[in-house]
Amino acid sequence: MLYARLVQDENKIRRQTLKEHCQNVAQIMAQKCKAMGLENAGYFVGILHDMGKASGAWQKYLEKSARGEEVSMVPHAKIGAQYLYAKSIDNSNMGEVVARQCFALTILAHHTGLPDCLDFRNSQEQKNKFSQLIENTDENLQDAMTNFLSQVADESELSSLYEKAKVEIAAILEKEQEKLCQAFGLEEPFPKIFSGEAGILARFFYSALVYADWQDAANFEIGSGMSAPTVDWSKMRDAFEAYLDCLTKNALPTQINKWRSKLSLECKNFAQKPSGVYQLYMPTGMGKTLASLRYALNKEGCKKIIYVIPYLSVIEQNAAVIKKALGKYGDMVLEYHSNVIFDKKRQAPEDSQVMKQEKLLSEQWDYPIIMTTMVQFLNVFFADKASAARRFTAMQDAVIIFDEIQSLPIKCVHLFNLLIRFLHDFCHVTAILCSATQPTLQKRLIPLPLSTPSQVVTEHADLLKLVNRTKFHNKLTMGSGHSLDEICTLIIDCQKKYQNLLMICNTKKSALDIYQKVKEQSGLEAVFYLSTQMCARQRRLILYLIKRRLRSKKPVICISTQLIEAGVDISFRCVIRSLAGLDSIAQSAGRCNRGSEYEVGDVYIVDLQKENLTHLPEIEAAKKVTRDILPADSDNYLEPQLIERYYERYFEELNKNVAKNDVKRYPTSCLDYVFNLGKAEQGSIIDLLTDNLAMVEQNKDYEQPFPQAFKTAYSKFSVIDADTVGIIVPCGKKAKLLLGKLADKYLPWQEKKLLLRQAQQFTVNVYRYKWQSLCDEKLIYSIDEEHSIWQLDQYAFDSKIGIKDKDSMQIDDFIF
């Protein structure tokens, strides 16, 4: 008898046969691939993936390992792939050629991740890495094949499945080829897009196999089948509509509230349109969170709703709004980000069956509604982590709502566009891109495939006039900008005129310098500072104090970095914005007269002298473009035509900077970052994950359909560039109590993990050079060196500014 798994239960060993395991994995994979029309392909890969475990050598390894004996690992993943390449092939059949390598890559990868097919890093004779993996025959191949075909699945069954799988692959590829040819008016599909989609297809199969393999392992170890939370979508929709009715009845009959109801109804009605890629333009404060949820709940065929949100200040706020709106269905919402990866809802030990089951379901996104970040979302498709990749299959038949899409990192634009094209064309996903300043993603080299009509709500001139609650004042000078003294004088004068004021800077250093000088010169007690040098708990407290003063109409000045721009529900009468991109200026204006408390709010645009943006090339380019296009005689910078012009010039400026200054962050005309590969040529991640032309040119005898360097690209991928270290700061009694508990070296690791989740709200991420500086000055020390848990000394912490830091740059306030 062939076995796949042995589990020690008290005094006995439970055994799972290899046939049972392979069939279970095949059935789960088939179910995961069915929506894409790849049911037989999924079953075939699932049944074949562990052929290598059928060898006598691997069976002996399993038995000895179960007895606790020391034994060398016996690799098994190559054998299923080599079995595929031992078959004869019709090279003229595209479906067969693509299917064979795609399936082989998936089987090779299911423990180690997708490999490089053509590899930059190795010597010339090893660059054709895929062929090396396939041609170096495993010594156990023949023994494994013989045993597998006699005890798990015979040759006739595998051949029948393989023939059906090839037809399925050919069908979806031919359909996509035709669609791409029509879209671009070409006789052949755009090669970079087509090869990129093929690469994402390989990632999908890898995801489905990892999901199925881990799921079956969990089912066997826990001892019962696991099922995802289910919900009656119609009842959830009814509960949500009842909440909206109550909200509308209790709202004041203002013009703003009438427009909110009107736009929400438009979103509901638009759900009758076919699945597609749409833009949702709604001005700040018009209720897009609930309006987009209304669209998704009314979308026929929607099996999952995924919110993708960029900022820490937004996600928890939006999650609370959505859970409240869903009432008793609020527990169907899973938050998945750095602050809440897995939220323990029951008082159960972490190693219990209940906890293991809930944790696995959470990590696989097996919930009806997911709220996550752009970092976590893109990691699913491009990070070198199996734990992230297995969530890919959760995307099928979903409505994915991207909040504040203008915050998408520029370096990820083409990867994002390629991915959305795949999700829409292959996975039946509807994507909703929400922003008051829509970036022109549809005009890039790899364009976003917007549907027709592209807008969820139509443009209303009357609405634009109504929500124009601010007047802009262009204070830009022809010289080198405003000095620190000039900015502080403007702030103090404006505070006297307007009573409350918000100043937003591009860097933490600028914000801190201004804060300290204004606090010193204004004589005003209520001067506050906000930045990512503070922990989340500290920022929330300061925002609470500011809002309380605003409600009481008391004087207040807030000096902040750009973290306050998006999603923070706060309203000042006056905002001063340091020159940045037009999208940032628009977001800043959203913090001015947000609720129409005043007849008009005033937004001043200034330019700080000596603002060091060396490490922030996007802001530097955005500043230049904004300065060039801002009209001197207009008090409204939010016209859609001006915003579109800004984005076109912005992308041009970034490419021009690359050409002029040899900036290594972006390659010319393709805004995905490059990385240095030593002696080899440079290439971008988008190149390595698509046609990989540089390596194809060096390997002209390579005849496989997949040239991608998956492993290299995934290992280099990161949504955020900052190399940061998390430090727990002593912010208040609760933080100090947590730090005391974490310092207990005898504390069980499972309890420590729970405490670390609680400590997220007291954690600050600092650049590694700053971490090293704090280490050298003995201002931080390790609580647990093994798990890299660091504590800030009380001396280096300030309750008003966070970590005492005079020279750090702005860290993007993304979360993981």
Side-chain angles (χ1 to χ4, degrees), residues 132-356:
Q132 294 284 330
L133 290 169
I134 293 300
E135 292 169 4
N136 292 339
T137 304
D138 191 292
E139 62 182 356
N140 296 313
L141 174 61
Q142 193 58 52
D143 180 40
M145 283 174 53
T146 301
N147 294 338
F148 188 88
L149 295 174
S150 64
Q151 294 193 44
V152 180
D154 60 35
E155 186 66 56
S156 62
E157 179 185 356
L158 292 179
S159 295
S160 175
L161 282 169
Y162 189 41
E163 291 302 316
K164 294 175 183 176
K166 291 186 296 187
V167 172
E168 290 175 343
I169 293 288
I172 67 167
L173 291 180
E174 288 169 5
K175 182 179 179 181
E176 189 61 17
Q177 275 190 324
E178 182 180 347
K179 184 179 293 186
L180 288 174
C181 289
Q182 290 177 351
F184 292 94
L186 302 171
E187 293 185 4
E188 295 290 333
F190 196 137
K192 191 172 283 290
I193 293 178
F194 190 67
S195 59
E197 289 184 333
I200 298 175
L201 180 64
R203 177 83 170 193
F204 176 86
F205 272 104
Y206 165 63
S207 166
L209 181 54
V210 171
Y211 179 101
D213 205 14
W214 291 19
Q215 184 78 26
D216 184 59
N219 288 345
F220 182 75
E221 290 178 11
I222 291 175
S224 61
M226 298 173 62
S227 58
T230 58
V231 63
D232 185 323
W233 286 96
S234 63
K235 290 183 179 179
M236 182 188 283
R237 183 170 58 248
D238 291 344
F240 177 72
E241 292 290 337
Y243 173 83
L244 289 184
D245 288 343
C246 182
L247 207 62
T248 302
K249 288 176 183 177
N250 293 328
L252 295 174
T254 63
Q255 286 298 313
I256 287 285
N257 284 334
K258 290 177 181 178
W259 271 106
R260 285 175 179 148
S261 297
K262 179 180 175 62
L263 295 178
S264 175
L265 184 60
E266 282 195 42
C267 287
K268 176 182 179 181
N269 294 336
F270 197 85
Q272 305 307 312
K273 301 281 186 185
S275 296
V277 180
Y278 301 108
Q279 293 176 321
L280 176 56
Y281 167 78
M282 288 179 68
T284 302
M286 296 306 294
K288 68 176 180 295
T289 298
L290 293 183
S292 57
L293 177 61
R294 195 177 194 185
Y295 169 90
L297 287 173
N298 284 277
K299 182 64 182 171
E300 187 176 355
C302 172
K303 296 180 180 177
K304 190 180 295 286
I305 300 170
I306 302 174
Y307 275 86
V308 181
I309 302 174
Y311 296 112
L312 177 63
S313 55
V314 181
I315 191 165
E316 293 172 337
Q317 174 183 290
N318 285 9
V321 169
I322 288 171
K323 289 177 181 179
K324 182 179 179 180
L326 294 175
K328 67 178 182 180
Y329 295 102
D331 60 356
M332 293 291 102
V333 178
L334 171 70
E335 289 182 63
Y336 198 93
H337 50 88
S338 61
N339 282 5
V340 186
I341 294 295
F342 174 67
D343 189 10
K344 191 173 97 166
K345 297 177 181 177
R346 293 192 177 94
Q347 296 300 316
E350 183 143 334
D351 59 352
S352 69
Q353 289 188 353
V354 169
M355 192 55 62
K356 284 180 179 179

Side-chain angles (χ1 to χ4, degrees), residues 658-687:
V658 171
K660 280 185 177 180
N661 304 320
D662 194 28
V663 177
K664 300 306 181 186
R665 187 164 178 157
Y666 307 111
T668 304
S669 78
C670 190
L671 298 174
D672 283 276
Y673 53 77
V674 299
F675 45 88
N676 198 330
L677 297 169
K679 297 179 181 179
E681 295 182 30
Q682 289 183 336
S684 71
I685 285 184
I686 197 73
D687 293 330

Side-chain angles (χ1 to χ4, degrees), residues 444-455:
R444 306 283 58 85
L445 181 68
I446 296 179
L448 186 76
L450 287 179
S451 302
T452 303
S454 61
Q455 303 298 324

